[in-house]
Amino acid sequence: MAKEYDVVILGGGTGGYVAAIRASQLGLKTAVVEKGKLGGTCLHAGCIPSKALLRSAEVYAQTKNGEAFGVIADGVRLDFAKVQARKAAIVEQLHKGVQHLMKKGKIDVYAGTGRLLGPSIFSPLPGTVSVEMNDGSENEMLVPKFVVIATGSRPRTLPGLEPDGEFVMTSDEALQMVTLPSSILIVGGGVIGMEWASMLNDFGVDVTVLEYADRILPTEDEDVSKEMEKLLRRRGVNIVTGARVLAETLEKGNGVTIQAEHQGERKTFAADKMLVSVGRQANIEGIGLENTDIVIEKGYIQTNEFGQTKEAHIYAIGDVIGGLQLAHVAAHEGIVAIEHLAGHNPAPIDYTMVPRCIYTRPEAAAVGLTEQEAKAKGYDVKVGKFPFKAIGKALVFGEAEGFVKLIADRNTDDLLGVHMVGPHVTDLISEAGLARVLDAAPWEIAHAIHPHPTLSEAMAEAALAVDGKAIHF
Ligand code: FAD
Ligand code: NAD
């Protein structure tokens, strides 16, 4: 028998489960359909497991290099099975947490694959959602007033460089590695590529990054790309930018070899394994979009600023709509969509206020426009930059590389963008995000007294530097 709901959410990843919680808070009868595990990519194949591995890599590298702190640890060894077990335990703890939150919110969870059947005489818009149950039991039929599509994304592959279970991996397979390779070729120097380059280098793996663009992290501020490239090269990561990988030259056997065009020459690269990290593609297949009027553009579901698709009763959020494919974005899009369908008046997301974080060592983080974007938009910019080497706490930490860079409009003093490379900047960036939301000018950021000694002083100093008033540099 069909079951009626106010909202049915397809996909229980970060976007989907957060949307479900907000719907339940608003008193809506809510169901989530999840074919894999609640928590989705972020919890099981993304943010959390990758950061757990990164942390182990950081501890390993730090322990080996403790001498500078006067800490001599002889015979430091890596137990990679334990590294993986720690990762799995963190994921499982959070997975239980999400399951608990669904119960607490009285949200029905269907373990199966959801599909839109379209409207019929028995089921008005948006129509029935059928669920093919994972346990093989009879399909469930759900009749909702609204549907939220939150089916997420999966790794994009390159023809000829598909994962093969042995030599070529995407992040999905890399996260499950049982042993570490002694060397790796990483195709794509974006966020995943550079996080893995940093992590594997810390684990002692010989890393080469082949990036097509003329710089790594090509969507970030040029100064961030430059600094990160310099620091990772110094640690021994081989970074090749402007490299056109020739997939058809891939050879496997005793590891992998592949050719790439670089500076007008064909060069051969070899390693034990290859990681392909060239972006992600939306999960739009097999969910019944052909039974709707939903518009797809460049592989992503099109929505208005509230997540509403061309069909007013169907919303879409998270990675499946493209844009910034980040967990916190998916979650906020979920909240906006639910509040909108519930008849509230949510503010649409201003994507220039979304923090972007990269968990390399050192970390990078940004919010708002890059200097290049600001100039291209016609702003007369003023820039304040302050290095961590002039921050006492960074020296105490033994991590004094990098900087904080603020970009402001010379005419209005508006804060346009903040870019950071350095210790714990993924935590420091929230202040910049708040400043953007509150429309704080750089002088107002500096007016807020920053405690000493903290890493946050770099933000205050960079804000002062915008007007040439930095104290310590
Ligand atoms: P997903 O999390 O992909 O969830 C979609 C869910 O829908 C999945 O559980 C899937 O099983 C389910 N589903 C799909 N189709 C159906 C169907 N027909 N029926 C039922 N269920 C279905 N972002 C950050 O902000 N910070 C990070 O540090 C970070 N690190 C990352 C590291 C890696 C290696 C990767 C790959 C991604 C990382 N991301 C990070 C990105 C982040 O994981 C995604 O932006 C986020 O998971 C998107 O959430 P979502 O809900 O849109 O989709
Ligand atoms: P990405 O878009 O960040 O980077 C892909 C990189 O691959 C780009 O630099 C691109 O120029 C390069 N590239 C594309 N085709 C290539 C080719 N043929 N040869 C060589 N290089 C090529 O994608 P990603 O790193 O795969 O990450 C996917 C998504 O996951 C991103 O949207 C990201 O936001 C999200 N993610 C976020 C975090 C985080 O927030 N810390 C971490 C990991 C992943």
Side-chain angles (χ1 to χ4, degrees):
M1 228 197 51
K3 293 176 180 152
E4 294 189 356
Y5 286 97
D6 293 317
V7 193
V8 168
I9 298 168
L10 281 194
T14 315
Y17 87 71
V18 170
I21 292 169
R22 186 71 189 116
S24 135
Q25 287 172 346
L26 295 179
L28 303 177
K29 190 167 182 236
T30 306
V32 172
V33 183
E34 171 54 57
K35 67 176 182 181
K37 289 183 176 173
L38 284 173
T41 304
C42 178
L43 180 50
H44 300 282
C47 330
I48 299 298
S50 63
K51 267 81 252 181
L53 296 184
L54 275 155
R55 175 71 180 135
S56 282
E58 185 187 19
V59 171
Y60 180 53
Q62 257 180 4
T63 313
K64 276 195 305 187
N65 301 322
E67 254 185 75
F69 294 82
V71 180
I72 318 288
D74 292 324
V76 179
R77 285 183 308 112
L78 184 68
D79 181 345
F80 195 63
K82 221 166 187 171
V83 169
Q84 284 287 25
R86 177 177 183 272
K87 176 203 83 177
I90 294 166
V91 169
E92 197 36 43
Q93 184 177 340
L94 292 169
H95 185 208
K96 284 204 180 100
V98 179
Q99 289 168 305
H100 166 74
L101 290 171
M102 295 298 100
K103 281 204 184 93
K104 185 177 156 210
K106 297 190 172 39
I107 296 156
D108 291 343
V109 178
Y110 292 87
T113 303
R115 190 167 187 281
L116 299 159
L117 298 184
S120 68
I121 43 168
F122 306 111
S123 163
L125 284 167
T128 302
V129 173
S130 83
V131 185
E132 192 183 328
M133 300 299 287
N134 287 347
D135 63 6
S137 58
E138 199 181 324
N139 283 8
E140 294 279 1
M141 292 295 162
L142 315 180
V143 179
K145 293 188 181 122
F146 293 95
V147 169
V148 176
I149 300 174
T151 48
S153 67
R154 60 185 184 277
R156 186 166 85 81
T157 54
L158 294 171
L161 299 186
E162 293 85 3
D164 58 9
E166 194 174 1
F167 296 110
V168 182
M169 307 179 284
T170 67
S171 57
D172 283 356
E173 294 77 30
L175 282 167
Q176 304 304 329
M177 280 191 289
V178 178
T179 54
L180 286 166
S182 60
S183 57
I184 194 157
L185 290 178
I186 298 181
V187 178
V191 191
I192 293 182
M194 296 324 295
E195 286 187 357
W196 279 85
S198 174
M199 176 215 297
L200 292 172
N201 170 270
D202 269 349
F203 276 139
V205 177
D206 191 355
V207 179
T208 297
V209 178
L210 303 174
E211 164 58 48
Y212 182 75
D214 62 357
R215 59 189 173 105
I216 56 166
L217 305 173
T219 53
E220 293 302 335
D221 193 274
E222 277 180 25
D223 283 353
V224 169
S225 300
K226 248 188 235 155
E227 184 78 358
M228 193 59 80
E229 185 170 332
K230 182 184 87 187
L231 297 175
L232 287 175
R233 270 187 203 281
R234 196 185 289 164
R235 271 170 50 195
V237 177
N238 180 22
I239 296 174
V240 187
T241 53
R244 199 167 77 84
V245 172
L246 305 166
E248 66 280 11
T249 65
L250 176 69
E251 283 182 23
K252 303 177 200 174
N254 191 17
V256 291
T257 63
I258 198 161
Q259 294 183 4
E261 272 177 17
H262 181 239
Q263 295 174 341
E265 281 177 50
R266 266 191 180 216
K267 293 179 184 163
T268 303
F269 298 89
D272 283 354
K273 304 252 181 203
M274 174 183 282
L275 170 67
V276 179
S277 47
V278 293
R280 296 186 53 91
Q281 77 185 82
N283 293 327
I284 52 171
E285 304 84 359
I287 54 174
L289 293 184
E290 63 283 6
N291 301 323
T292 72
D293 289 332
I294 288 174
V295 178
I296 305 289
E297 229 178 88
K298 293 185 179 154
Y300 295 104
I301 294 179
Q302 297 303 296
T303 70
N304 66 14
E305 69 269 42
F306 302 108
Q308 203 169 24
T309 67
K310 182 108 183 288
E311 288 212 9
H313 298 77
I314 305 180
Y315 288 67
I317 59 163
D319 279 13
V320 77
I321 67 170
L324 284 176
Q325 292 180 305
L326 298 172
H328 41 291
V329 171
H332 274 264
E333 286 171 347
I335 290 169
V336 168
I338 293 294
E339 292 183 351
H340 191 257
L341 66 81
H344 293 238
N345 192 19
I349 295 174
D350 177 344
Y351 290 92
T352 71
M353 294 190 182
V354 175
R356 313 183 292 276
C357 296
I358 304 170
Y359 298 82
T360 40
R361 184 172 69 82
E363 296 179 338
V367 65
L369 302 178
T370 65
E371 186 176 347
Q372 300 72 45
E373 285 167 346
K375 284 180 176 161
K377 280 181 184 288
Y379 287 106
D380 181 8
V381 301
K382 50 180 183 175
V383 174
K385 205 168 164 187
F386 193 86
F388 276 106
K389 69 180 179 204
I391 295 292
K393 182 79 173 275
L395 292 173
V396 168
F397 260 45
E399 295 175 31
E401 290 152 335
F403 57 80
V404 172
K405 172 176 175 179
L406 259 78
I407 301 156
D409 182 341
R410 190 179 297 283
N411 299 315
T412 62
D413 227 12
D414 282 345
L415 181 64
L416 300 174
V418 180
H419 306 272
M420 304 178 172
V421 175
H424 297 283
V425 295
T426 61
D427 293 308
L428 296 185
I429 198 68
S430 291
E431 181 184 1
L434 183 64
R436 290 270 302 136
V437 170
L438 298 179
D439 203 12
W443 72 265
E444 288 171 304
I445 295 170
H447 189 67
I449 295 174
H450 289 67
H452 178 75
T454 63
L455 297 171
S456 72
E457 288 170 283
M459 179 75 182
E461 289 275 19
L464 287 170
V466 166
D467 297 311
K469 294 179 183 166
I471 302 290
H472 290 94
F473 195 72

